C-alpha cells in the first residue's frame, strides 16, 4: 500500500468509528450518482415491511398514500440505475393495493382523499412511461392510471366554485368542503400524461379544463404563478390558504411541461406556464440564505416541524423537475444546477447512525437528527433525478408511439362500487373502528374524522 492509500484507510476507519461517513457523492460521475441512489434506496427499504409474511403489501403503517409515493420513487430508481433489486416488491405492492383497477381498495377507500388515490395513479403512470416490467398477473400500469383518471373525473364538482376537484372524496371528511392544489394539480398532471402517452385528445381536454379552472380560482395565478394550497367552497372559493409547498408547484409545473410536449411546443400557454411556474419554484424553494442551489421546504424546515407527508414533498418536486427538463428542453440549464446543488447538499446530511441515514434539511451540512422512510424516499428521488445529465432525451417518459407498450383500457375502474357515494350508508361499525387506527393524511382531516366519529 502506498502512503496515500494508508491515509485513506485510516481516515475511512476513523470516520466509520466516529459514525460520520456521509454518502460520498461525485455529482459528475454516473457511477457515483447510482451508488448514492442505491444507498438511499437500501436505507428506505430497511423501513418497508410490506413484503414480509403476515404484512400487507404496499401498506405503510399509519399512512396509505405514502406507498404510492414510495413505489413511484423505486420505479424511477430502476429505470435510471438498472438495479432491479426491489422490482418484485414494487409489483406485488402496486397490484395488491390496486382495488378494481382504480386504487380504491375497499380496506382504505372509505377514508382517503383524491390526492391519496392520485399518488398511486401517478406511480402507475410512471411505470407505464418508464417501461417498468409488467405484472405477470394483474392490471397493466396504463390501465391503472386510466382507472384513477376515470374515477376522479367522475368526481369533478361543478356544483360549487364552477368546477374543481374537492380535496376529500366523502361528505363525512372535513376536507370535503375544500378544493386544493394537490388534488387539482395531481389530476391535471395525470390527464396531461395520459394525453401524451395515448394521444387520446379526451385526456388533453380534461387537462385543459382543470388548468383553466385552477387559474380562474385562487389556487393558481397565471400572472404571478403563485400556487396556493387550498380554497374553500364555504365562501365560493374566493379566498385562499396560501401555504407554500414544493409539491403543489411541482404538480402543476410537470403537468404544464407534459402539455407543452404533447402539443409539440406549439402552444404558448404551456410554454409560459412551464417557465412561469419554474421561475417561482426556483426562486422560492432554493433560498439564497442557503446558497440558492439547495431545495428547502421553506414552511416547515426553519422550525423543524415537517411531518412525514411534508418530508416527502421535496422528493416529488425533484422527480418532476427532472421530467420537466426532459419534456421542455429549454428548462434544462435552469433545472440541472438546482438538482445538483441539492444532491451535493443532501449527501452531506446522510451521516446518521453511522449507516448513511439521511436527514430532512439538505442545506444543513450534516445530519440533523431526523430519520425515517420518508427522509430516505426524498433523497432517493433526488439522487435518481440527478441521472439527468447522463441520459438522453429518450430516457425521459415514453409514449405509446416511442416505445411504451403498456396495455390501454379506456374504461378501467368504471365498474367498482367502492367509488360510489351511495355505498356510504353501508359503512359498518368495523370500518369506523378502523378509522381510529389510521392517521388521516392531514391533521384537519384527522380532526374532521374525530368529529365525525363522535357526531356520527
Ligand atoms: C441505521 O440505523 C438506524 C437506527 O438503528 C436504523 O433504524 C436504520 O434502519 C439503519 N439503516 C440502515 C441502512 O441500516
Ligand atoms: C415479495 O412478495 C412476492 C409475493 O409473495 C414475491 O413474489 C416476491 O419475491 C417478494 N419479494 C421480495 C424481495 O421478497
Ligand atoms: C385488507 O385487510 C386484510 C385484513 O387485514 C388484509 O389481509 C388485506 O391484505 C388488506 N388488503 C389491502 C389491499 O390492503
Ligand atoms: C361546469 O360549469 C361551468 C360554468 O358554469 C361550465 O362552463 C362548464 O361547461 C361545466 N362543465 C361541465 C363538465 O359540466
Ligand atoms: C389567465 O387566466 C384567466 C382566467 O382566470 C384568463 O381569462 C386569461 O386569459 C389567462 N391569461 C393568460 C395569459 O393565459
Ligand atoms: C405532434 O406532432 C406529431 C408528429 O408530427 C403529430 O402526429 C401530432 O398530432 C402532434 N400533436 C399535436 C397535439 O398537435
Ligand atoms: C424566468 O426567468 C428567466 C431568467 O431567470 C427569464 O429570462 C424569463 O423571462 C422568466 N420567464 C418567465 C415566464 O417569467
Ligand atoms: C418532448 O420530449 C422529448 C423527450 O421525451 C424531447 O426529445 C422533445 O424534444 C420534446 N418536445 C419538444 C417540443 O420540446
Ligand atoms: C413490452 O415490451 C417489453 C420489452 O421491451 C416486453 O418484455 C413486454 O412483454 C411488452 N409488454 C406488452 C404488454 O406487450
Ligand atoms: C379516449 O379516452 C376517453 C376517456 O377515457 C374514452 O372514452 C375513449 O374511448 C378513448 N378513445 C380511444 C380511441 O381510446
Ligand atoms: C448549519 C446548520 O444549521 N446546522 C444545524 C444542523 O442540524 C443540527 C441539528 O438540528 C443543528 O444543531 C445544526 O446547527
Amino acid at each position: 500500500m502506498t502512503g496515500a492509500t494508508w491515509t485513506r484507510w485510516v481516515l475511512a476507519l476513523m470516520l466509520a468509528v466516529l459514525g460520520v461517513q456521509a454518502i460520498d457523492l461525485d455529482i459528475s460521475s454516473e457511477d457515483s450518482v447510482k451508488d448514492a441512489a442505491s444507498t438511499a434506496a437500501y436505507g428506505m427499504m430497511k423501513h418497508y415491511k410490506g413484503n414480509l409474511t403476515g404484512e400487507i403489501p404496499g401498506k405503510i403503517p399509519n399512512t396509505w398514500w405514502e406507498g404510492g409515493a414510495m413505489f413511484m420513487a423505486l420505479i424511477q430508481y430502476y429505470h435510471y440505475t438498472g438495479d432491479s433489486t426491489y422490482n418484485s416488491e414494487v409489483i406485488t405492492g402496486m397490484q395488491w393495493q390496486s382495488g378494481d383497477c382504480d386504487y380504491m381498495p375497499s380496506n382504505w377507500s372509505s377514508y382517503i382523499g383524491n390526492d391519496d388515490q392520485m399518488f398511486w395513479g401517478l406511480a402507475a403512470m410512471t411505470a407505464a412511461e418508464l417501461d417498468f416490467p409488467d405484472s405477470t398477473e394483474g392490471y397493466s400500469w396504463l390501465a391503472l392510471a386510466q382507472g384513477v383518471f376515470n374515477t376522479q373525473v367522475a368526481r369533478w364538482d361543478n356544483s360549487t366554485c364552477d368546477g374543481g376537484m374537492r380535496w376529500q372524496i366523502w361528505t363525512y371528511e372535513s376536507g370535503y368542503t375544500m378544493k386544493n392544489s394537490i388534488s387539482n394539480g395531481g389530476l391535471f398532471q395525470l390527464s396531461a400524461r395520459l394525453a401524451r402517452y395515448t394521444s387520446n385528445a379526451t385526456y388533453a381536454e380534461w387537462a385543459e379544463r382543470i388548468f383553466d379552472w385552477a387559474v380562474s380560482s385562487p389556487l393558481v395565478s397565471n400572472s404571478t404563478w403563485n400556487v396556493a394550497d387550498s380554497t374553500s367552497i364555504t365562501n365560493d372559493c374566493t379566498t385562499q390558504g396560501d401555504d407554500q409547498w414544493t409539491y403543489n408547484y411541482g404538480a402543476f409545473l410537470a403537468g404544464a411541461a407534459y402539455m407543452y410536449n404533447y402539443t409539440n411546443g406549439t402552444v404558448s400557454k404551456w410554454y409560459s406556464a412551464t417557465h412561469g411556474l419554474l421561475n417561482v419554484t426556483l426562486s422560492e424553494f432554493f433560498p439564497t440564505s442557503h446558497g440558492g442551489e439547495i431545495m428547502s421546504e421553506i414552511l416547515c424546515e426553519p422550525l423543524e416541524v415537517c411531518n412525514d407527508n411534508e418530508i416527502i414533498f421535496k422528493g416529488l418536486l425533484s422527480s418532476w423537475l427532472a421530467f420537466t427538463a426532459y419534456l421542455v428542453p429549454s428548462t434544462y440549464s435552469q433545472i440541472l444546477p438546482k438538482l445538483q446543488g441539492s444532491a451535493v447538499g443532501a449527501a452531506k446530511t446522510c451521516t446518521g447512525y453511522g449507516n448513511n441515514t439521511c436527514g430532512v434539511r439538505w442545506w444543513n451540512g450534516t445530519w440533523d437528527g431526523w430519520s425515517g422512510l420518508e427522509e430516505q424516499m426524498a433523497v432517493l428521488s433526488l439522487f435518481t433525478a440527478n441521472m439527468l445529465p447522463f441520459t438522453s432525451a429518450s430516457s425521459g417518459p415514453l409514449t405509446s408511439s416511442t416505445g411504451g407498450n403498456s396495455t390501454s383500457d379506456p374504461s378501467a375502474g368504471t365498474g367498482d362500487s367502492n367509488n360510489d357515494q351511495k355505498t356510504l350508508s353501508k359503512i359498518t361499525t368495523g370500518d369506523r373502528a378502523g378509522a381510529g387506527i389510521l392517521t388521516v393524511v392531514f391533521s384537519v382531516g384527522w380532526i374532521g374524522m374525530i368529529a365525525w366519529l363522535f357526531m356520527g
Side-chain angles (χ1 to χ4, degrees), residues 212 215-216 222:
D212 288 351
V215 298
S216 76
N222 64 0

Side-chain angles (χ1 to χ4, degrees), residues 42-43 46-47 352-353 355 357:
Y42 179 75
K46 278 265 179 189
H47 296 279
Y353 298 119
N355 67 10
T357 289

Side-chain angles (χ1 to χ4, degrees), residues 283-404:
S283 60
E284 190 154 350
F285 298 107
F286 294 77
T288 48
S289 53
H290 307 311
E293 307 241 294
I294 306 183
M295 193 190 300
S296 172
E297 200 63 73
I298 54 171
L299 211 53
C300 63
E301 288 183 9
L303 294 175
E304 297 186 57
V305 292
C306 302
N307 67 29
D308 284 346
N309 302 312
E310 295 156 8
I311 288 167
I312 293 172
F313 296 168
K314 297 200 301 286
L316 296 165
L317 177 60
S318 300
S319 306
W320 291 337
L321 281 171
F323 279 6
T324 298
Y326 286 111
L327 296 164
V328 186
S330 57
T331 63
Y332 180 95
S333 60
Q334 254 182 302
I335 288 173
L336 185 63
K338 307 293 179 181
L339 288 176
Q340 294 189 323
S342 300
V344 169
K348 290 184 194 155
T349 78
C350 299
T351 59
Y353 298 119
N355 67 10
N356 293 129
T357 289
C358 306
V360 170
R361 291 168 298 158
W362 296 344
W363 44 267
N364 189 77
T366 182
W367 185 48
D368 60 10
W370 288 69
S371 65
L373 183 145
E374 295 80 7
E375 284 82 349
Q376 296 301 131
M377 195 196 303
V379 169
L380 169 60
S381 296
L382 172 66
F383 290 157
T384 304
N386 272 275
M387 287 300 292
L388 179 64
F390 310 116
T391 59
S392 62
S394 60
S395 297
L398 298 172
T399 72
S400 62
S401 52
T402 61

Side-chain angles (χ1 to χ4, degrees), residues 45 48 50-52 57 84-93 96:
M45 293 308 275
Y48 175 64
N51 221 49
L52 300 180
S84 61
T85 305
Y86 309 108
N87 285 9
S88 72
E89 281 152 292
V90 174
I91 292 169
T92 306
W96 196 268

Side-chain angles (χ1 to χ4, degrees), residues 36-379:
S38 160
T39 304
Y42 179 75
M44 179 176 85
M45 293 308 275
K46 278 265 179 189
H47 296 279
Y48 175 64
K49 312 286 185 216
N51 221 49
L52 300 180
T53 309
E55 300 289 337
I56 301 177
K59 180 66 177 69
I60 293 168
N62 302 321
T63 172
W64 181 72
W65 84 274
E66 285 189 22
M70 181 182 79
F71 292 132
M72 195 190 307
L74 288 170
I75 288 161
Q76 290 159 177
Y77 171 71
Y78 167 64
H79 180 76
Y80 290 104
T81 66
D83 177 5
S84 61
T85 305
Y86 309 108
N87 285 9
S88 72
E89 281 152 292
V90 174
I91 292 169
T92 306
M94 289 282 291
Q95 293 292 337
W96 196 268
Q97 294 298 330
S98 61
D100 291 331
C101 199
D102 56 1
Y103 288 113
M104 291 291 286
S106 58
N107 282 5
W108 320 110
S109 59
S110 304
Y111 317 112
I112 62 176
N114 283 309
D115 48 354
D116 303 331
Q117 182 195 17
M118 180 51 64
F119 278 98
W120 289 88
L122 291 171
M125 190 71 229
T126 307
E129 290 172 341
L130 300 185
D131 242 350
F132 194 75
D134 264 310
S135 171
T136 46
E137 53 213 45
Y139 303 111
S140 77
W141 304 125
L142 179 58
L144 284 162
Q146 290 169 311
V148 170
F149 170 87
N150 288 334
T151 51
Q152 292 220 350
V153 295
R155 298 181 200 130
W156 182 255
D157 172 44
N158 237 359
S159 70
T160 58
C161 310
D162 286 334
M165 294 298 289
R166 292 174 187 251
W167 173 15
Q168 299 294 332
I169 300 170
W170 312 111
T171 51
Y172 54 79
E173 295 168 309
S174 76
Y176 186 67
T177 57
M178 293 167 84
K179 296 196 169 175
N180 67 342
S181 271
I182 195 59
S183 299
N184 285 281
L187 185 57
F188 165 57
Q189 190 190 113
L190 182 68
S191 306
R193 293 170 78 162
L194 284 168
R196 180 174 173 274
Y197 191 94
T198 65
S199 299
N200 180 335
T202 306
Y203 299 121
E205 283 158 22
W206 270 103
E208 188 127 22
R209 175 176 298 135
I210 299 160
F211 182 85
D212 288 351
W213 177 79
V215 298
S216 76
S217 81
L219 290 180
V220 180
S221 162
N222 64 0
S223 51
T224 65
W225 297 107
N226 184 73
V227 180
D229 187 58
S230 62
T231 186
S232 173
I233 68 169
T234 55
N235 65 3
D236 204 22
C237 298
T238 48
T239 57
Q240 56 182 248
D242 201 28
D243 282 356
Q244 300 287 294
W245 296 110
T246 50
Y247 80 150
N248 286 332
Y249 281 84
F252 281 103
L253 168 64
Y258 274 94
M259 286 305 286
Y260 171 87
N261 196 275
Y262 164 73
T263 54
N264 295 325
T266 59
V267 179
S268 67
K269 173 179 175 172
W270 302 122
Y271 182 90
S272 338
T274 304
H275 279 278
L277 287 164
L278 179 62
N279 279 6
V280 180
T281 302
L282 298 186
S283 60
E284 190 154 350
F285 298 107
F286 294 77
T288 48
S289 53
H290 307 311
E293 307 241 294
I294 306 183
M295 193 190 300
S296 172
E297 200 63 73
I298 54 171
L299 211 53
C300 63
E301 288 183 9
L303 294 175
E304 297 186 57
V305 292
C306 302
N307 67 29
D308 284 346
N309 302 312
E310 295 156 8
I311 288 167
I312 293 172
F313 296 168
K314 297 200 301 286
L316 296 165
L317 177 60
S318 300
S319 306
W320 291 337
L321 281 171
F323 279 6
T324 298
Y326 286 111
L327 296 164
V328 186
S330 57
T331 63
Y332 180 95
S333 60
Q334 254 182 302
I335 288 173
L336 185 63
K338 307 293 179 181
L339 288 176
Q340 294 189 323
S342 300
V344 169
K348 290 184 194 155
T349 78
C350 299
T351 59
Y353 298 119
N355 67 10
N356 293 129
T357 289
C358 306
V360 170
R361 291 168 298 158
W362 296 344
W363 44 267
N364 189 77
T366 182
W367 185 48
D368 60 10
W370 288 69
S371 65
L373 183 145
E374 295 80 7
E375 284 82 349
Q376 296 301 131
M377 195 196 303
V379 169

Side-chain angles (χ1 to χ4, degrees), residues 418-436:
N418 289 326
N419 298 316
D420 189 345
Q421 307 247 344
K422 285 194 285 291
T423 60
L424 273 181
S425 56
K426 294 194 199 124
I427 287 177
T428 63
T429 319
D431 290 330
R432 286 175 198 232

